[in-house]
Amino acid sequence: METRVWHYDGRSAQRRMPAIAPAADERYFTLHGDDAEPGPYAFADLEPHGTSHHERAFGLKGRPGWRITFMEFPPSEIAVQLPKPPRYGTWIDRFGLWRSAGVLAVLAILVVGFTLKLPPLIARLIPESVEQRMGRLMVGNLGTYACSTPKGDAALKALGARLRQGDNVTIRVVHAPMVNAVAFPGGQVVLFDGLIQNAASPDEVAGVLGHELGHVAHRDGMESLVRQYGLRLLLGGFDSNISGYGNALLNARYSRKAEAGADGYAIGRLQAADISPLPTAALFARLAQQDKEPGNAGTLLNYLSSHPLSTSREQAFKRSVQRGAAYRPALDAAQWQALRTMCGDSPPR
């Protein structure tokens, strides 16, 4: 019994209905009748074009538009030579749904873990000279707003010395009303005058400054930039977008781990300097309360966006109080006054 197929030769739009039959060499087949090109054709050159309960269609490698379609299931001597159609789900069907889901879940965990670990690794591989140059360029954009008076500079130097700022760290005050402080790459720390004016004592400023020194020590600023911009931060040349990188750090939202690490660093520096951590806890509580009051959104927005306040942070500073410790103010009254007025005596140029 002949097995007929619908056939298009790819050269014309005419549909033919020749008979298909195996050739003497069972690896090949021929077409007979209805003016079809007889062949022979290799079964291995057939490509499945979809299946249904009523038909099986195949194309031919190297012959666009060539097609045969079985209108009924082919006889066994032909069926065994036909290429198998792709299974739904391919390897998932062969491997098993639940086993595949487990493998994919493990791969997803590995990808997420690698993504989380990659920025810190890259940040630590960046040479310090590159990081310092980047920090100097970022702070350079704020240079015209930097505050400087002899007494104010001396007070700022004294505060940094109490906290053991390190030779590779530069601290400066910038004339801006926002309540914020930021640690740029390369040990460049900026205190905004709005923070100093909002502080009730130099001890509160010392706590915030200690926190930023923690970000410097842990290179959190560099890690944040790598996380946001990836390798194009270096490969694309960071000079061209230095303002964008600076703004990104001003509004960077560090992870809870980074914030807790910086707080722990600050607490350690306050204890070593015999400065009470209670004023810093009070500052956090006051800022959180002021955030709820009308009219303070613009003033506090920057600090709250980059250093989210929480009860746990406040409690961490409270718990670090050492009984019997002989705490001393971070600055004396004259130094504190000089720090608070250094921007007023030197308005931005």
Side-chain angles (χ1 to χ4, degrees), residues 221-278:
M222 198 71 243
E223 179 183 332
S224 177
L225 289 177
V226 172
R227 197 178 297 279
Q228 293 183 65
Y229 294 96
L231 286 178
R232 63 192 175 100
L233 175 74
L234 300 176
L235 299 180
F238 56 78
D239 297 32
S240 59
N241 190 33
I242 204 68
S243 296
Y245 299 147
N247 288 331
L249 282 179
L250 280 171
N251 296 283
R253 195 177 185 90
Y254 292 116
S255 67
R256 289 185 179 180
K257 182 179 179 181
E259 288 292 281
D263 280 348
Y265 188 93
I267 289 171
R269 289 303 172 99
L270 292 176
Q271 289 176 342
D274 295 326
I275 300 174
S276 174
L278 285 178

Side-chain angles (χ1 to χ4, degrees), residues 157 170 195 205 275:
K157 184 177 180 180
T170 301
L195 172 70
V205 177
I275 300 174

Side-chain angles (χ1 to χ4, degrees), residues 2-312:
E2 292 185 337
T3 300
R4 293 195 172 272
V5 293
W6 294 117
H7 172 55
Y8 291 93
D9 59 13
R11 298 189 178 94
S12 69
Q14 181 179 357
R15 185 176 69 173
R16 296 179 171 84
M17 196 171 67
I20 183 173
D25 186 338
E26 62 182 11
R27 296 174 300 172
Y28 296 87
F29 66 92
T30 57
L31 299 175
H32 303 281
D34 204 8
D35 295 327
E37 184 179 341
Y41 305 96
F43 281 110
D45 289 339
L46 292 178
E47 299 175 324
H49 275 205
T51 62
S52 73
H53 293 296
H54 306 291
E55 65 178 25
R56 301 182 71 184
F58 298 88
L60 188 68
K61 293 179 181 178
R63 290 286 297 273
W66 192 99
R67 188 182 182 94
I68 59 172
T69 302
F70 290 89
M71 293 172 286
E72 57 186 24
F73 197 84
S76 59
E77 63 269 21
I78 294 178
V80 295
Q81 300 292 340
L82 294 174
K84 299 297 185 291
R87 299 175 62 186
Y88 177 77
T90 58
W91 66 272
I92 294 181
D93 284 341
R94 293 193 293 272
F95 198 54
L97 177 60
W98 292 110
R99 189 179 297 176
S100 300
V103 171
L104 292 174
V106 171
L107 289 176
I109 293 172
L110 291 176
V111 169
V112 171
F114 182 73
T115 302
L116 293 175
K117 293 294 184 182
L118 189 59
L121 292 176
I122 294 177
R124 283 162 177 76
L125 291 176
I126 295 175
E128 288 189 11
S129 59
V130 174
E131 185 175 347
Q132 288 170 357
R133 182 185 171 208
M134 183 182 295
R136 287 194 298 268
L137 288 173
M138 290 181 184
V139 173
N141 287 343
L142 301 173
T144 56
Y145 300 97
C147 303
S148 178
T149 63
K151 292 183 178 180
D153 294 342
L156 191 60
K157 184 177 180 180
L159 182 60
R162 286 285 301 275
L163 297 174
R164 302 178 186 177
Q165 71 180 68
D167 296 334
N168 62 334
V169 177
T170 301
I171 307 170
R172 68 193 72 204
V173 176
V174 167
H175 195 356
M178 65 183 76
V179 177
N180 204 359
V182 61
F184 291 108
Q188 300 289 335
V189 178
V190 170
L191 300 174
F192 290 94
D193 188 51
L195 172 70
I196 296 174
Q197 300 305 321
N198 194 280
S201 71
D203 294 1
E204 294 184 354
V205 177
V208 174
L209 178 55
H211 180 93
E212 298 305 325
L213 292 176
H215 283 314
V216 170
H218 303 153
R219 303 184 78 176
D220 292 331
M222 198 71 243
E223 179 183 332
S224 177
L225 289 177
V226 172
R227 197 178 297 279
Q228 293 183 65
Y229 294 96
L231 286 178
R232 63 192 175 100
L233 175 74
L234 300 176
L235 299 180
F238 56 78
D239 297 32
S240 59
N241 190 33
I242 204 68
S243 296
Y245 299 147
N247 288 331
L249 282 179
L250 280 171
N251 296 283
R253 195 177 185 90
Y254 292 116
S255 67
R256 289 185 179 180
K257 182 179 179 181
E259 288 292 281
D263 280 348
Y265 188 93
I267 289 171
R269 289 303 172 99
L270 292 176
Q271 289 176 342
D274 295 326
I275 300 174
S276 174
L278 285 178
T280 304
L283 173 65
F284 288 160
R286 191 169 68 255
L287 290 178
Q289 182 60 36
Q290 289 179 3
D291 181 48
K292 302 175 184 178
E293 299 174 0
N296 286 327
T299 304
L300 302 179
L301 178 61
N302 287 86
Y303 189 86
L304 295 176
S305 64
S306 57
H307 301 82
L309 301 175
S310 66
T311 303
S312 60

